[in-house]
Amino acid sequence: MENGKNDINSLEEQMANNEDICCSCGVVTAFPKAFFDNYRVTGVGLIVCTSGCFSFRCEGVEYAVKTGETAFISRDVCFSVTGHSADCSVVVMLYRVDSIRDILGSTVVGMRFVEILNPRACWVMHTGHEDELTKYSELLAVGNSDDNVFAANERRLLLLSLTYRLCGIFREMAKDGDNASSRKLETYMRLMHLIDKYYVQERGVRFYADQLCLSPKYLTSLVKSVSGSTVQQLVFKAITKKAISMITTTDKSIKEIADWLNFPNASAFGTFFKKQVGLSPVNYRHKES
C-alpha cells in the first residue's frame, strides 16, 4: 500500500483537525497512520474493503476483512490495523452522529444505532451494500468547503441518509438471524434504550429487569450472550462515556461532574473513573488537554 500515500493525505488532515466528518471520499490505497496505533473511534467507523484484505485488532480480538466486506466499529472503541495485502484498497468513513443530531431529533433510537443495533465493539460482514457505501463516500467529497453553506448542508443531509441506510442494513442482518437471536437483539435494544434514559439514576440490574418484565438472572444471561458484558458493565460504560465527554469538552469541575452523574462525592467519582479508565479524572483531563 506504499504507493497510495498521497491519496490518504486529505483523510489524515481531517483526522488531525478532529473534524466531525472524516472521509476518504472514495477508494484509497493506504490507511491513515493513526490506524496503526490504537486509534479511538469517537463516532461511527466504517471501513469497506474494496480489494485485497486487511486485519485489525479491536478490544483484544483479531479480525480479518476480505474484499467485499465491511468493518463497522462502535463508538469510543480503540483498534489497530495489524496487516494488509499489497493490493488492499479501502473506503474509510468516520463521523460523529452529533453533527447531524439537530436534524435527527429523537429518531432512530436516539441515534445510538451502532451501540444498539450492533452490540459488539466491531462487526465484520458482507452486507451486500458495499458499492452503495462507497458511493456515499464519493458523494461526501463533492463541494467539501467550509465557506459554502449549501455544500455543508448537503453533506449533513448525506450523512442523515447514510445513517438511516446503516440502520436499515443492521435491521436486515438481524432479520436474517433465527427468531431466538432476533428476540434477544430486540430485548438488548430495549435495554440500551433504558440505560440511555436512566443510567445516571439507576445502576442496578433489578431496575432494568423489572422495566423489561424479566428476572435479573435471565436478563444478565441474555445480555452476556449478546454483548459479552454484564448489565452493570453496560451502565458503567454509559456513565464513563458521559464522564469522559464532560471532562474533555466542558470546564465543569470534577465535583460538578460527580454531582451531575449522581455520585455521593468527588472522591467516589474519582475512584470509579480511575477503575474504568486507568487515570484519575484530573489526570485524564490533563492528558487530553
Side-chain angles (χ1 to χ4, degrees), residues 257-269:
I257 295 173
D259 289 343
W260 195 94
L261 291 170
N262 203 30
F263 282 86
N265 50 55
S267 177
F269 169 63

Side-chain angles (χ1 to χ4, degrees), residues 25 72 92 127 136 146-148 162 178 210 235 256 261 276:
C25 302
F72 295 89
V92 178
T127 68
Y136 271 110
D146 290 336
D147 58 1
N148 186 335
L162 171 61
D178 59 72
D210 288 346
V235 175
E256 288 175 320
L261 291 170
Q276 300 300 313

Side-chain angles (χ1 to χ4, degrees), residues 45-250:
L46 298 87
I47 308 175
V48 180
C49 185
T50 57
S51 68
C53 60
F54 69 93
S55 59
F56 67 97
R57 177 170 288 274
C58 180
E59 304 287 294
V61 179
E62 193 82 17
Y63 296 86
V65 188
K66 305 187 295 267
T67 302
E69 292 183 335
T70 301
F72 295 89
I73 303 172
S74 295
R75 189 174 177 175
D76 288 330
V77 166
C78 294
F79 78 98
S80 298
V81 172
T82 55
H84 55 77
S85 63
D87 61 342
C88 183
S89 62
V90 295
V91 171
V92 178
M93 284 183 280
L94 309 167
Y95 73 94
R96 294 185 179 90
V97 175
D98 288 346
S99 65
I100 52 174
R101 189 178 296 280
D102 58 331
I103 55 176
L104 285 165
S106 60
T107 59
V108 195
V109 292
M111 292 323 302
R112 293 184 53 147
F113 70 95
V114 167
E115 293 171 77
I116 294 171
L117 296 178
N118 177 12
R120 311 177 198 180
C122 63
W123 200 343
V124 175
M125 58 185 167
H126 170 68
T127 68
H129 300 280
E130 276 68 26
D131 289 344
E132 186 180 357
L133 295 176
T134 299
K135 186 63 177 176
Y136 271 110
S137 172
E138 294 169 351
L139 289 171
L140 284 166
V142 178
N144 183 14
S145 173
D146 290 336
D147 58 1
N148 186 335
V149 65
F150 299 105
N153 285 332
E154 183 179 22
R155 279 166 65 84
R156 289 168 72 242
L157 289 171
L158 278 169
L159 282 179
L160 176 64
S161 176
L162 171 61
T163 300
Y164 276 110
R165 192 69 200 92
L166 290 173
C167 289
I169 289 171
F170 278 109
R171 289 190 185 279
E172 287 178 20
M173 300 303 293
K175 288 178 182 177
D176 287 342
D178 59 72
N179 290 335
S181 295
S182 295
R183 285 195 298 272
K184 282 185 177 182
L185 186 55
E186 178 63 28
T187 301
Y188 183 89
M189 290 168 59
R190 291 171 59 200
L191 171 65
M192 293 302 291
H193 274 295
L194 291 169
I195 290 176
D196 193 33
K197 184 176 181 179
Y198 295 110
Y199 71 91
V200 173
Q201 295 82 20
E202 300 291 345
R203 299 173 185 178
V205 179
R206 181 168 293 279
F207 169 83
Y208 295 100
D210 288 346
Q211 292 292 310
L212 294 167
C213 300
L214 300 171
S215 72
K217 183 178 180 180
Y218 177 78
L219 180 61
T220 298
S221 175
L222 183 150
V223 170
K224 190 76 173 177
S225 69
V226 171
S227 67
S229 301
T230 66
V231 176
Q232 190 166 73
Q233 284 172 337
L234 294 177
V235 175
F236 285 178
K237 185 176 180 181
I239 296 169
T240 303
K241 285 182 179 180
K242 185 62 178 181
I244 287 173
S245 175
M246 296 179 77
I247 288 169
T248 57
T249 65
T250 76

